[in-house]
């Protein structure tokens, strides 16, 4: 068992599969996260959002299990991303004078390590804002309002989400291919659905800091 | 009546004395080239000129010059095998270029393909990957009856499409990650679609991926540049098949 796993995670295809599975599970988390966040927009002065946050907290130890699981997904994804990216740099040390382009590469596919890194930096700021701040317990909605009312904070969120959106426009279709899903009839459709989901998540998450800038901006 | 435009070109050719040696671009002007020449014939003209001038000819690989052996291949202005789709360097014609143009000519660049000299690279890594499992271990005896083993038309088509790979290495050259997945997947896919390939299907994909990784090629990130550069139009569907077969074989392998 152990030797099998070692061989698997050291192989190029195995590493990519670990990234794809952890990445897709993270996409699943983002869908749930966005659904929860959108309760911010209900016209009830944050009552629904606070209730949603309270429900999560009431899970008690289950919440910790979920958080540890989520952390593990990020660690796996980032570790394999670093491992494969370093391997890929080593596989092409000699640079072309004319940068090769055969028309299939995209901005998204070419910047995956960079957009990933921006998402990671954003994630750290995001956790400091809302996970590590004691004030979240007392009033989640008030803390979100208080934090995002600052134009610099809102800007950080906008940049972070834009990087995530670009990351995901390549990532979702790419992960399916990595896991062996490719069919002449379905794949073009699935690739477009992947870009669509990336844009929905992107616009959904963007709506929050943009709303904050417009509705709360300058209020502190 | 075909006209014969004459071309004047500036070439920036990569020169490298040997593996690991530092390389550099050398500039050459060629005048009076026929537009009907192939790209390799243009390089022949350059080499004749260099020899007459007492210089060293540019070393480049070639053999059949009809697009079937996989020997030729250089990166031309940032495109493996040049600007034409599904065309090997030997099948590329000079009419594709404009008089007065500057053309950068570089070798395949990848850790898996060390430069032998100038534009020639060592692609023996591909041979070692094939030796690891790109075959069927049966005693074939004399030729069997044509339809003794029934093969559905769709399977035969897909096997044939994958088998069209000539092992040129353009996929590796074009890949930003220097990955060899298109080549390996073409070889895996070719046999995976045929009944004769089934007995060793799992062991083959495990062994070939292991051999590929040992040669220092990169990890596929699904840019799909490989397929766009491939002179035989090998589809990335083969890469998905390789991934699928590798995942299944790793999970189900006994012991
Ligand atoms: C919520 C956050 C994230 C999600 C949902 C996500 C999702 C994904 C998915 C689905 C893939 C495709 C895997 C494949 O093609 O097999 C991927 C690839 C990748 N991710 Fe992430 N990712 C996230 C964060 C990050 C972070 C923080 C980093 C790095 C610090 C990162 C770096 C990469 C890299 C380098 C790739 C490889 C590019 C490729 O294979 O196409 N990602 N990501
Ligand atoms: S897959 Fe295409 S580009 Fe790669 S070696 Fe085969 S023929 Fe050449
Ligand atoms: S020389 Fe044989 S394929 Fe070009």
């Amino acid at each position: 068992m152990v030797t099998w796993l070692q061989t698997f995670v050291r192989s190029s295809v195995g590493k990519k599969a670990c990234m794809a599975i952890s990445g897709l599970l993270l996409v699943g988390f983002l869908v749930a996260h966005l659904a929860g966040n959108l309760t911010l927009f209900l016209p009830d002065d944050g009552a629904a959002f606070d209730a949603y946050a309270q429900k999560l907290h009431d899970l008690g130890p289950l919440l910790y299990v979920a958080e540890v699981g989520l952390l593990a997904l990020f660690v796996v994804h980032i570790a394999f991303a670093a491992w494969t990216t370093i391997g890929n740099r080593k596989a092409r040390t000699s640079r072309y004078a004319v940068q090769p382009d055969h028309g299939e590469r995209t901005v998204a596919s070419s910047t995956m390590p960079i957009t990933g890194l921006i998402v990671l930096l954003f994630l750290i700021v995001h956790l400091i804002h809302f996970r590590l701040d004691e004030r979240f317990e007392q009033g989640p909605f008030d803390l979100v309002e208080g934090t995002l009312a600052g134009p610099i904070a809102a800007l950080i969120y906008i940049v972070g989400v834009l990087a995530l959106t670009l990351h995901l426009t390549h990532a979702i279709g790419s992960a399916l291919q990595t896991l062996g899903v490719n069919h002449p009839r379905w794949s073009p459709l699935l690739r477009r659905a992947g870009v669509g989901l990336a844009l929905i998540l992107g616009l959904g998450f963007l709506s929050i800091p943009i709303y904050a800038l417009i509705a709360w901006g300058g209020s502190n | 009546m075909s006209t014969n435009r004459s071309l004047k070109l500036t070439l920036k050719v990569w020169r490298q004395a040997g593996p690991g040696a530092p390389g550099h671009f050398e500039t050459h002007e060629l005048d009076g080239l026929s537009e009907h020449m192939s790209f390799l014939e243009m390089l022949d003209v350059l080499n004749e000129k260099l020899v007459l001038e007492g210089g060293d000819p540019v070393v480049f690989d070639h053999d059949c010059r009809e697009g079937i052996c996989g020997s030729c291949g250089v990166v031309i202005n940032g495109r493996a095998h040049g600007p034409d789709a599904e065309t090997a360097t030997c099948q590329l014609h000079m009419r594709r270029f404009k008089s007065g143009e500057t053309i950068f000519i570089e070798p395949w660049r990848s850790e898996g393909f060390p430069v032998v000299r100038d534009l020639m690279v060592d692609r023996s890594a591909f041979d070692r990957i094939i030796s690891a499992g790109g075959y069927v271990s049966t005693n074939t005896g004399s030729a069997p009856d044509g339809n003794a083993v029934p093969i559905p038309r769709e399977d035969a088509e897909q096997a044939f499409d994958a088998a069209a790979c000539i092992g040129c290495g353009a996929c590796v050259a074009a890949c930003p990650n220097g990955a060899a997945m298109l080549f390996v997947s073409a070889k895996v896919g070719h046999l995976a679609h045929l009944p004769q390939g089934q007995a060793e299907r799992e062991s083959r994909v495990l062994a070939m991926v292991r051999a590929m990784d040992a040669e220092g090629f990169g990890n596929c990130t699904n840019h799909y540049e490989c397929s766009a550069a491939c002179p035989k139009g090998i589809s990335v569907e083969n890469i998905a098949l390789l991934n699928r077969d590798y995942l299944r074989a790793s999970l189900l392998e006994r012991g």
Side-chain angles (χ1 to χ4, degrees):
Chain A
M1 179 72 192
V2 176
T3 49
W4 167 80
L5 247 185
Q6 277 179 353
T7 311
F8 181 73
V9 298
R10 281 190 192 138
S11 72
S12 55
V13 179
K15 279 182 230 164
K16 283 309 306 287
C18 293
M19 280 175 75
I21 293 168
S22 58
L24 286 182
L25 290 172
L26 287 173
V27 171
F29 157 71
L30 289 180
V31 172
H33 190 30
L34 177 63
N37 284 0
L38 289 181
T39 60
L40 280 167
F41 288 124
L42 293 176
D44 57 4
D45 284 326
F49 183 73
D50 284 349
Y52 156 69
Q54 190 57 46
K55 279 227 179 67
L56 283 183
H57 273 253
D58 290 346
L59 290 174
L62 266 185
L63 181 64
Y64 282 106
V65 174
E67 281 184 336
V68 170
L70 196 55
L71 184 69
L73 288 181
F74 273 108
V75 170
V76 167
H77 189 73
I78 294 165
F80 281 98
W83 196 357
T84 53
T85 304
I86 291 168
N88 292 347
R89 295 277 144 87
K90 280 200 196 131
R92 166 64 56 69
T93 47
S94 157
R95 304 237 120 229
Y96 286 106
V98 183
Q99 197 53 35
D101 190 351
H102 299 75
E104 291 297 316
R105 233 161 14 107
T106 62
V107 174
S109 78
S110 310
T111 55
M112 291 299 276
I114 301 163
T115 51
L117 208 62
I118 297 174
V119 171
L120 176 62
L121 294 178
F122 164 70
L123 203 65
I124 295 169
V125 174
H126 181 50
L127 289 178
I128 293 173
H129 276 161
F130 297 125
R131 177 66 185 79
L132 304 177
D133 195 318
E134 302 289 314
R135 287 172 296 170
F136 195 78
E137 301 276 334
Q138 287 109 50
F141 184 85
D142 294 340
L143 184 63
V144 171
E145 181 170 349
T147 306
L148 290 185
I152 291 175
L155 206 67
I156 290 175
Y157 278 75
I158 291 172
V159 171
V161 172
L162 284 178
L164 176 68
T165 310
L166 197 58
H167 195 78
L168 293 184
T169 55
H170 177 70
I172 299 173
S174 174
L176 293 177
Q177 166 84 359
T178 300
L179 296 175
V181 181
N182 192 324
H183 183 278
R185 184 176 340 130
W186 299 109
S187 287
L189 217 68
L190 284 172
R191 269 170 96 177
R192 255 175 270 156
V195 174
L197 178 57
L199 293 179
I200 290 172
L201 285 169
L203 288 175
F205 281 115
L206 264 187
S207 69
I208 298 164
I210 289 178
Y211 174 82
L213 267 185
I214 294 167
W216 306 325
S219 71
N220 69 343
Chain B
M1 268 297 288
S2 74
T3 53
N4 194 345
R5 243 180 352 124
S6 137
L7 298 175
K8 181 176 176 192
L9 294 173
T10 303
L11 305 178
K12 302 264 182 193
V13 188
W14 183 259
R15 304 302 303 258
Q16 184 171 335
H24 65 279
F25 283 97
E26 208 172 75
T27 308
H28 294 285
E29 307 275 346
L30 286 183
D31 204 350
L33 294 165
S34 158
E35 64 169 347
H36 299 313
M37 280 179 182
S38 75
F39 199 83
L40 297 188
E41 285 168 334
M42 184 275 291
L43 288 179
D44 292 337
V45 169
L46 170 67
N47 277 346
E48 277 172 30
K49 182 174 167 246
L50 288 176
V51 170
L52 285 176
E53 289 168 356
D56 270 338
V58 176
V59 175
F60 64 93
D61 236 335
H62 61 102
D63 188 15
C64 71
R65 298 207 177 198
E66 56 182 14
I68 55 170
C69 75
S71 299
C72 66
V74 290
V75 172
I76 302 162
N77 286 340
R79 298 198 53 155
H81 287 304
D84 282 345
E86 296 193 24
T87 305
T89 305
C90 59
Q91 298 289 90
L92 176 67
H93 283 88
M94 295 314 293
R95 54 178 158 272
R96 205 54 183 74
F97 299 91
K98 289 192 291 285
S99 201
E101 211 176 315
T102 298
I103 304 177
F104 279 84
I105 309 172
E106 305 180 61
W108 290 171
R109 296 192 194 277
S110 155
E111 286 313 287
F113 291 159
V115 171
V116 176
R117 194 181 169 109
D118 298 337
L119 302 173
M120 185 189 219
V121 299
D122 174 3
R123 283 169 291 188
S124 58
F126 274 10
D127 300 334
R128 289 187 289 276
I129 296 170
I130 295 288
S131 314
Y135 47 77
V136 173
S137 317
T138 48
N139 187 350
T140 51
S142 52
D145 274 358
N147 293 318
V149 183
I151 302 174
R153 183 186 160 78
E154 190 51 42
D155 290 350
E157 292 280 347
Q158 283 182 263
F160 190 78
D161 284 349
C165 165
I166 54 178
C168 63
C171 42
V172 176
C175 176
N177 307 314
M181 288 285 273
L182 194 65
F183 166 77
V184 179
S185 73
K187 300 306 170 190
V188 165
H190 163 202
L191 297 173
H193 285 298
L194 295 173
Q196 294 88 340
Q198 298 312 309
E200 291 159 298
R201 187 164 174 174
E202 276 88 20
S203 58
R204 173 182 308 113
V205 71
L206 292 172
M208 289 184 80
V209 168
R210 191 171 306 138
M212 170 181 84
D213 291 347
E215 296 293 345
F217 293 109
N219 310 284
C220 176
T221 61
N222 305 319
H223 289 288
Y224 302 159
E225 289 282 290
C226 51
S227 185
C230 174
K232 299 297 154 186
I234 301 292
S235 160
V236 295
E237 233 185 286
N238 289 293
I239 297 183
L241 180 139
L242 178 149
N243 289 337
R244 208 155 62 227
D245 274 14
Y246 185 84
L247 295 178
R248 196 183 47 208
S250 308
L251 281 171
L252 302 183
E253 194 183 19
R254 286 167 181 268

